[in-house]
Amino acid sequence: PNDPSKLRPIGVPTAIRRILGNHIARSYRQRFALHLLPHNFAVGVSNGQDFVIKTTQLAIDKYITGPQSEGRLPSRAVVFTDMTNMFNLISREELRDCLRSHFPELIQVADLFYQESGNVHFQHGSGDWFNLLMEEGVNQGCPLSSIFAALVFHRVLAPLQAALNDRANDRVLRGDLGDDGCGSVSIITAFVDDNSNVIPLEDISFFFTELDELAPPRGCRLNSFKTRILTSTNGMSPLPAL
């Protein structure tokens, strides 16, 4: 309330758009969930956000707090990432390609919504109305916007997890079973564009390099200001001892 720069507009689409979007979201709930799991729990998953939180808490206890309480170094860190203004920046071309591959019957709907630049109306504090053309991304307030954004972001998360899995498999082949008996397999969980990633310390640099390769071409840009790396829960940094 004391910082006007933090005020956010509320996007309100037309009633026809909301009816159509809600119908698709409800009808495709299970199919969307099956496509996005096990990485994104925001669509079609009851208490999905709670699952992400609980998973992260358990991982922190197992890989950070537990070892530190026994005088050992933590084996992992938790990387919390956020994508800058992702709804407004995702690639519509990537969205269309994703729908073509997995939900081809929805391409006409996406084209109806996004084939042309959207005309967004907004009002200044003076009371004057203005408008701007939205050439990329998905419209805030549209019932399908979070789903469409998650579908595009899935094309970042799935190959990222696969690349991290390959590194874990390579460690097993070298005889290093890691902290889980499987070479320290990374855990990536997301709720639309908010991520909690439990990463072995030796994979953190790789994680960000790979993310930088996969995300920007799809309109997903890391918000470094909101990104956090949790390395310790006892107030002592493990970095000097690594």
Side-chain angles (χ1 to χ4, degrees):
N2 300 320
D3 186 354
S5 70
K6 295 297 183 182
L7 294 175
R8 296 191 174 208
I10 299 175
V12 182
T14 61
I16 295 297
R17 186 187 188 114
R18 285 182 299 193
I19 292 171
L20 180 60
N22 275 319
H23 174 69
I24 293 172
R26 289 176 180 273
S27 300
Y28 280 74
R29 184 176 186 267
Q30 187 173 22
R31 285 186 59 189
F32 287 142
L34 290 173
H35 178 72
L36 295 172
L37 291 173
H39 307 306
N40 207 315
F41 293 81
V43 182
V45 181
S46 298
N47 301 315
Q49 190 172 41
D50 188 55
F51 181 87
V52 172
I53 292 171
K54 291 277 195 307
T55 298
T56 305
Q57 289 174 331
L58 290 171
I60 291 171
D61 288 342
K62 181 175 182 179
Y63 299 115
I64 300 178
T65 303
Q68 286 188 319
S69 66
E70 298 173 357
R72 296 182 288 113
L73 285 173
S75 58
R76 305 193 185 200
V78 183
V79 182
F80 300 97
T81 61
D82 178 80
M83 297 294 131
T84 299
N85 205 18
M86 193 177 86
F87 283 25
N88 294 334
L89 293 176
I90 63 164
S91 166
R92 291 183 184 178
E93 181 181 352
E94 191 77 20
L95 171 61
R96 199 174 193 278
D97 186 65
C98 181
L99 293 176
R100 185 188 300 111
S101 300
H102 303 285
F103 306 96
E105 66 277 19
L106 296 182
I107 288 180
Q108 288 184 322
V109 173
D111 285 347
L112 177 66
F113 287 173
Y114 297 116
Q115 196 167 37
E116 298 180 2
S117 300
N119 196 14
V120 180
H121 302 270
F122 60 96
Q123 186 180 32
H124 275 183
S126 63
D128 296 324
W129 281 90
F130 301 88
N131 66 282
L132 57 84
L133 289 179
M134 185 175 174
E135 299 177 351
E136 279 287 5
V138 290
N139 293 103
Q140 298 280 0
C142 173
L144 292 176
S145 60
S146 60
I147 297 173
F148 283 168
L151 290 176
V152 173
F153 196 38
H154 182 73
R155 290 195 160 189
V156 176
L157 299 181
L160 180 59
Q161 179 75 72
L164 290 164
N165 288 350
D166 288 342
R167 289 175 65 88
N169 291 332
D170 288 341
R171 284 191 284 269
V172 172
L173 292 176
R174 297 196 306 269
D176 179 5
L177 297 182
D179 57 14
D180 58 1
C182 300
S184 298
V185 178
S186 297
I187 304 169
I188 293 180
T189 52
F191 197 83
V192 188
D193 61 334
D194 291 313
N195 273 59
S196 297
N197 311 284
V198 186
I199 311 293
L201 298 177
E202 59 266 43
D203 285 352
I204 292 177
S205 178
F206 175 83
F207 171 86
F208 281 106
T209 300
E210 196 74 3
L211 184 65
D212 195 46
E213 290 286 330
L214 293 167
R218 295 169 172 83
C220 305
R221 293 172 174 81
L222 184 68
N223 184 341
S224 58
F225 180 76
K226 290 186 177 180
T227 294
R228 297 289 184 271
I229 304 177
L230 177 67
T231 59
S232 172
T233 58
N234 69 358
M236 301 294 291
S237 173
L239 298 181
L242 292 177

